[in-house]
Amino acid sequence: MLKHYLLYGILILICCQSNIAVGQERAVSGAVRDETNSPLPGVNVVVKGTSTGTITNSDGRYTINVPNGASTIVFSFIGYADQEVSVGDRTDIDVSMDADVTSLDEVVVTALGIEKSSKSLGYSTSKVNGDAIAINRTPNPMNALTGKIAGVNISSLGSGPAGTSKIRIRGQSSISGQNSPLIVVNGIPIDNSNYGTNQGNNGSDTSVGNRGGGASFDGGDSFSSFNPDDIESMTVLKGATASALYGSRAKDGVIMIVTKSRGSGSGIGVTYNLNYSNDTPLDFTDYQYEYGQGEYGIRPTTPNPQSGQWSFGEKIQPDMTQILFNNLTVPYEAQRGIIKDFYRNGQNLTNTIAISGNSDKGGFNMSIADANSKGITPNNKFNRKTINLGLTYDLTPKLNFKANVNYAAERNTNPPIIADQDNSMPTALLAMANTMPLSVLDENKYNAGGGEFLYSRFTNRTNPYWGLAEVKSNIRRDRIFGNLSLAYKLTDWLSLQGRFGQDYYSRSSDYINLPTGKASINSGSIFSSSAPAFYNGLYTQDFRTFRETNADFLLTAIKDFGDFGINISAGGNQMKRRSDVSSVQVTDFSVLGLYNVGYGRAKDPTYGLSERQVNSLYGSAEVNFREWLYLNFTARNDWFSTLSPANRSILYPSVSASYVFSESFQKPSWLNSGRLRAAYAEVGSDTDVPPYSQQLIYTVNANQFQGQAIGALGTSVPNPNLKPMRAAETEIGLELKMFNNRVNVDVAAYRKLTTDQIVQAQVSDASGFVNTLINSGESENKGVELMVNLIPIETNNFSWDLTFAGAYNITKVLSLLNDTPGSNITVGTHVFNGWVQQIVGEEMGQIVGYGYRRYGHDPATNVPLDPATVTNPENIGKIMIGSNGIPLATTRPIPFGSALPRWTGGFTNSFNYKGLTLSFLIDFKLGGKMLSGTNFNAMRHGLHKATLVGRDNMTSDTGTSDPGGWVLNTDGVDANGVENAKAAKVEDYYSVVRGSGLVEPVIYNAGFWKLRQVTIGYDFTKFLPDNFPIRGVRLSVFSNNVLMLKKWVDNIDPESFGYTSDNVVGLESPGVPTTRSIGFNLNVKL
Amino acid sequence: MKKIYHITLLSLSLLIASSCDDGFDELNKSKTGATTVDPIAVFNNAVIFTSPPASTLVYELGAVQQIITSNSGVNVGANYNQVNITSTPGNWTNSYQNTIKYTADVISHTQDDPTRANLYNMTRIVQQYAFMVLSDTYGDIPYSEAGKGYTDQLFLPKYDTQQAVYDGIISELTAAVAALDPAGKIETSDVLYKGNIAQWKKFGNSLLLRAGMRLINANAAKAASTVAAAFAGGVITDNADNAVIRHDPNYMNGVGNTLNGTEAANFYLAQPFVNALKANADPRLGALAVRYVGANSGPAQIYTGTGANSTFDPANQYGMPMGSTDATADASGASLPGGGNRYAHSQADRTRVVSRASPMYLATAAMNNLLLAEAVERGISGVTGTSTEYFAAGITAHMVQMSGYGAASTVAAADITTYVTARTATFTAAPTGAALADSRVNEINYEYWVASFLNGNECWANFRRVGMEQRNYRTPNPATAAPLFLTNPYSGKVVDWINRITYPPSESLVNTQNYNLAVQSIGKDELGVKLYWAQ
């Protein structure tokens, strides 16, 4: 079907071009400056009475085609008074804009693609222009927004190019479901499913995990399909009011992407853009290198040592040797910097050619791009080819046609396995014995049978070089999305629009996991005795197609009645989504090295079909009084196919007001403009309810047992009575522009109450099941957002622009199954001993685990006891040491605090000196906690510097000597509160984190301050001779993730998280290192 | 243009006119998933999951001092007598999420269906088997409210005392066995007995015998009446009737899978087990053990069948001392003939008794004969026959059963005769009565300990029932007899003996209220707490 639309689009394009050729018009160009005579970029330039328009470039210059008959050009820009200039016979018109005052006016694309003047809105929106995304780019375009919008928190993962980007607007509202914003492209929603790493996710979010254990690579999200060069602007609708018209899917805000659909200037323009960056892996490890490989103080001195992941060996002395693998004698010396040695520098290269056209009747933009990324993991690469076509055309003066089609072919090769204990290169590297030379690991990866040579008794810690050579995965996605729209002006005040959009992709992935892996499974040996003739392994081929269609219509009436103006819209939408998955997983292979389902022994094919639909009707009404007081009402009713008949229809209202007080009375001279906003909205959502949730589905195992069918049931109890969850949000805001617009402030405060949450509640295993979906759960987000823009210096040659975007958000869990404080549900499980829980009365996202048992505290809850009941009250709170010299753990897991940051934001400084721009961004996230799996391993494997304590103490309290040393923790006390006198062997002491799950030593403050971006740009256009075929040249040099200014967690970047799921937030497990990228962007206009 | 206008208007009015949730009921029914299957398929899955999970390697098999690892960290458990929260939930999740869930589902579909009455009663037996394992592992457990997540929407079941659980098990088993009807539908797809009613009755009665004997300390009268009733109904006394899960490459033996996977080189036969078999010149040692002479690493364990490097020779088997750390195990290994380090200790042979497809014996003629021998010794009325006969029959049955692990584990008939003769002589020479020190009950339970090797659940339950750790084993020389089981010498242990396994952390987190009541009822949620029926 889509093929036809594409064809139709191309026909229109041809049609359009011919029009450009015969258009009766002339080009007008010129420069726009502000009152200080500085060039003013971004000014809207429109031929009055037409839809022909452009914006000024970074030098404030524009070119526009003025049709014969048109007489006036309108220049408008936020913060400046509109200027209407009559054209006459001129072809060169320079304009000087005066700062105004009244103007809080900017055209903002709001829900459903409705363009509104920003001053009419009772809620907060933020817009980012395409340049901000295209120049300082990251493979996933969303990451470029980090720190730039107040209240928007973006985290990328340590998972290679095309990895997932986690976006949270105004915090996290869903207790155990999904929290991602809705992505809308050119007015129509697209899919943002995430194919991530989800092990330990006990919640219900929509991310899709891989089949089979151990294949925990990040398969990316929807944003990787975008070429940043195609994006004209992104607008973030933050509050519920902003997104009320999107209803169910917009409870977490909306990111509206507008792609380019027409050129600027007249005729055909060609733009070439080259973007290159080089990524350097960052190594934050600060391990100990005093004691080398080994256990209990003994270094490897016989062949085939098994301590490859342990650094509890001997004190490293000059000229010492060790024996590794099958009798290799190598020096026993520290191997520093293995992170940088193992990983390579990554590279990203994007070439984009765009052709655009513009005429009085319409225009088009077509781009073709090729993006190549080499991940820092030596076998990881990503390629994306995109074609984007956007066009708009006035078929008649009353009928406008718009279309856009985006095609992306993505190929992701060997995304690294992360966040897992088994088979993960990052995990094995970060725990590698500190005297293990990488070259020796590489050269000895194979054993005689073609399997992995064991280098450690921790056999799951696959040799990273063996993993590079043998563990493979491929993801191929072909995606086409876009929409067509027709808008018809019935009268001068009434118009009708109809749209159809579709997002379709096919995604195939295949992955080999452990072809002869996990070391100890000897390939083809007698030990695979279940099936001796086969080589062990796991291979999965997964093929899915996804289609989402949205059809909508919108009737709009805009009319003024004296002092009053009204703007009424009514419309409807039908969303249909279908996904098909067929997948075959095979285990054990008859031919070594040939991984094809045909050669597998046990085969497990599955097919799944999922369909859902949401029908909606909605309307909005805006009334304004003299354009300084606006009232806005919206209502939307959704019908959900996934819910039971009694609960499937739901109505959401919103009301908002905007009061431009600076226009309603005589304002003081220092105030340019001011506005107050207030809004209340309700939205609801069924996104956490999968289709068929009311049915208990039986499966039948692929393989029979003794010739009999084996039936099975899922782990979740169906609930037929689910209702949509509801969110109600109240928001107020104030916007001020002062002192000639050199001090601009926008502050917003909100409170969002989310009720009837669809909670994937863990139930007792004894019920037979693991969880059930219930409508329960209430949470409250409260926060403040502040955007301050200052222009401290502004002269003809130099300007300094400082912007702060910051937000404070706190989310509390008010009730779950009941509202008893302390009652809780578990939503995420770490690969180690830790959980994420929601606990009534606490902040959302509590990290929970076993803590130190403390003297004078309740051993289960760690709550202090009445000092009167304690023998040695002076020691209350000291950690308790068992009779074996090892700290005791609490008897029950205890909460350590929320993983969600309270403070997020960034400072952007921009300097402009004679066209040379320099900007840098410092961003921060503060106030969250994390459980660090990397440090957990570093601790128990003897790499963490904290494990040096005790190593030189050779005798125990009882006089027993041990070469590994003894820890006598005298800060701790015994059961009676008396100072501890028992010593434990060093390795036993620090291994306690694993056996008893005592994770308190690896709970950290997850906050950080980073110098996130530095960009230097210069526009060479002014050096180009007139009539030169090249019309513009701009070069920018940039660096991302430049410098860690402050962090609290040892040995890692606090951003190097391995999970995409919301429900395992704060549980760090090794991902690939974060990178610093340095690159350049060259933009050439022909 | 007009046409487009009309089409648009038409489509709009269509959208409005059609009801806003038209077809949703149909749309939200899965077109590819089954909402019903023959309950026998689900029943079979319940049966498969009665096989003990891999976690029994870490706890049960080590608590009975048969298989241990010196590794710290993830494998910490019975060797160090410490809590390992990764492995404590093993039986809990394995049984509740599978056997209990599936049996509850089958029961809900068959209890009111007279045509499937036999399936219903078979399912009850399997369910009670799982409950017995759960209660023997943890003590008080969710029982009367368990498995009802879907049928009754009971998500946080209360716990029942172990006494109540055993009362329930005995009455359910009794009722189910009585109701099994050879004239009813024979469930030939059943993977345990192909629906053979006589065998199912024997299996049910065998579990009754086991449950009755379990109560011998706690409620002697109930124990006696239950054992007598089970005996009267007929229990498994022939290997042909054994309840056994015949694992295959797709449905693998949990312990065997782990030992042929990541933990291949990490678990060893424990010294008390190897020493005891050696002292009795038990031919089963050669049938189940292998030792890689001189091995100093996993890769150095090169398997060549029995020979100089990988030997089955019983005289050349050496177990790992209980409570070994890697360091002390290395020292112990170095002192063995041929040297090496900890990798040179004897292992349960991964190619024979603990392969991925090794059968798992749930209830056997060997176990039952030995239980009957003890019942006679204890004077339970109604059990006919002599304890000596049962004792010899029990040992013989297990030695014959070894051939189930393959030809290489077959014990020669002559060796069986020699061993049984010698052991029977010892047995008859021993004092009668159930006194602790050196009675015949000792000898019986020693043999039960060997005969239930690898079924960690049953072996450990019986171990605690008779207080094996307190018994002083006579053999080989009563005059110089040393206790077979030494208190674990590991300095970091938290208890001397593991008497139960702690509840999974998820219970304290999720089912908090009921968990707290259960902990109150049993005293403390700790490894050292003795169960209701324990000696």
Side-chain angles (χ1 to χ4, degrees), chain A residues 172-179 251 688 725 757 838 844:
Chain A
Q172 185 168 320
S173 64
S174 181
I175 284 169
S176 69
Q178 77 137 356
N179 290 286
K251 75 173 177 65
D688 296 333
M725 70 181 283
Q757 295 213 29
Q838 311 302 2
M844 190 177 273

Side-chain angles (χ1 to χ4, degrees), chain A residues 986-1003:
Chain A
V986 164
E987 184 167 341
D988 294 344
Y989 186 92
Y990 296 108
S991 301
V992 73
V993 289
R994 184 63 173 107
S996 60
L998 210 178
V999 294
E1000 190 167 338
V1002 293
I1003 302 286

Side-chain angles (χ1 to χ4, degrees), chain A residues 8 295-296 302-304 306 395-396 399 453-454 457 459-460 486 488 490 496 498 518 520-521 526-531 551-553 572-574 601-602 607-609 611-615 617 639-643 645 648 690-698 700-701 703-706 708-715 717-718 762-770 772 774 817 824 826 833 835 837 848 850 883-884 886 892-893 940 985 987-988 991 994-997, chain B residues 1 4-5 8-9 12 15-16 19-21 24-25 27-37 40-42 44-45 48 71-74 76 80 82-86 92-93 96-97 100-102 105 109 142 145-150 153-157 188-189 191 245-252 260-264 266 292 296-301 303 325-327 342-343 350-351 355-357 490-493 505-512 515-516:
Chain A
Y8 188 48
E295 293 197 70
Y296 294 99
T302 52
N304 298 312
Q306 300 292 292
L395 298 171
T396 74
L399 185 65
F453 198 117
L454 263 178
R457 69 176 163 89
T459 53
N460 298 16
L486 274 177
Y488 189 72
L490 297 163
L496 178 66
K518 289 198 179 174
S520 56
I521 308 177
I526 190 157
F527 292 119
S528 313
S529 51
S530 61
D552 71 8
F553 74 93
N573 176 286
Q574 185 174 59
R601 180 186 59 78
Y607 169 70
L609 166 66
E611 290 178 296
R612 72 195 306 163
Q613 187 174 338
V614 181
N615 291 342
L617 287 174
W639 288 264
F640 302 103
S641 74
T642 54
L643 302 175
R648 72 168 56 124
Y692 327 125
S693 289
Q694 289 86 346
Q695 291 177 304
L696 185 67
I697 304 284
Y698 291 86
V700 173
N701 293 0
N703 296 296
Q704 296 175 343
F705 182 57
Q706 292 172 15
Q708 302 302 333
I710 303 300
L713 282 169
T715 54
V717 186
Q762 188 181 353
V763 300
S764 168
D765 297 316
S767 72
F769 293 82
V770 177
T772 183
I774 53 163
L817 304 164
N824 57 62
T826 300
N833 310 309
W835 297 269
Q837 285 202 322
V848 172
Y850 291 92
S883 57
N884 53 14
I886 292 174
R892 298 226 328 250
R940 65 170 165 149
K985 286 185 184 176
E987 184 167 341
D988 294 344
S991 301
R994 184 63 173 107
S996 60
Chain B
M1 280 317 103
I4 292 172
Y5 175 49
T8 311
L9 266 190
L12 292 186
L15 188 69
I16 296 167
S19 168
C20 282
D21 59 352
F24 277 15
D25 290 330
L27 187 69
N28 203 33
K29 286 203 179 92
S30 173
K31 297 172 184 67
T32 55
T35 50
T36 164
V37 295
I40 188 70
V42 179
N44 281 335
N45 211 357
I48 290 167
N71 291 173
S72 57
V74 68
V76 155
Y80 286 5
Q82 286 182 348
V83 172
N84 174 344
I85 60 163
T86 314
W92 188 278
T93 49
Y96 279 121
Q97 289 181 16
I100 299 300
K101 173 171 71 175
Y102 293 135
D105 181 71
H109 288 109
E145 294 187 349
K148 298 182 173 170
Y150 180 62
Q153 301 275 307
L154 247 170
F155 298 139
L156 304 174
T188 52
S189 296
V191 295
I245 307 296
R246 301 188 188 282
H247 289 286
D248 68 13
N250 297 321
Y251 295 87
M252 293 187 280
N260 283 286
T262 53
E263 305 303 334
N266 293 335
Y292 301 94
N296 60 6
S297 68
Q301 296 182 330
Y303 192 90
T325 63
D326 285 345
R342 63 183 185 271
Y343 297 93
R350 289 175 261 150
T351 71
S355 79
R356 289 197 158 107
Y490 179 65
S491 63
K493 68 186 171 190
S506 62
E507 275 297 293
S508 67
L509 289 169
V510 176
N511 198 6
T512 315
Y515 164 83
N516 286 341

Side-chain angles (χ1 to χ4, degrees), chain A residues 839-853:
Chain A
I839 304 176
V840 173
E842 303 289 334
E843 276 185 68
M844 190 177 273
Q846 290 286 318
I847 293 182
V848 172
Y850 291 92
Y852 286 118
R853 201 183 297 178

Side-chain angles (χ1 to χ4, degrees), chain A residues 582-645:
Chain A
S582 24
S583 164
V584 190
Q585 182 162 78
V586 297
T587 38
D588 297 354
F589 298 93
S590 45
V591 180
L592 179 62
L594 184 60
Y595 304 104
N596 178 319
V597 295
Y599 296 88
R601 180 186 59 78
K603 298 169 181 143
D604 187 359
T606 62
Y607 169 70
L609 166 66
S610 161
E611 290 178 296
R612 72 195 306 163
Q613 187 174 338
V614 181
N615 291 342
S616 317
L617 287 174
Y618 38 76
S620 78
E622 176 195 296
V623 182
N624 74 70
F625 178 68
R626 292 185 179 168
E627 297 197 351
W628 54 257
L629 183 63
Y630 293 83
L631 279 178
N632 241 304
F633 305 89
T634 71
R636 172 170 173 132
N637 201 101
D638 282 345
W639 288 264
F640 302 103
S641 74
T642 54
L643 302 175
S644 67

Side-chain angles (χ1 to χ4, degrees), chain A residues 14 60 62 225 248 259 327 362 376 619 683 870 875 1036:
Chain A
I14 292 164
Y62 72 94
S225 306
S248 62
T259 61
N327 213 7
I376 59 168
V683 293
V870 175
N875 284 338
S1036 310

Side-chain angles (χ1 to χ4, degrees), chain A residues 434-455:
Chain A
N434 58 7
T435 54
M436 176 71 87
L438 285 183
S439 57
V440 174
L441 267 181
D442 191 7
E443 285 153 17
N444 296 281
K445 54 185 179 278
Y446 293 110
N447 67 17
E452 187 201 340
F453 198 117
L454 263 178
Y455 72 99

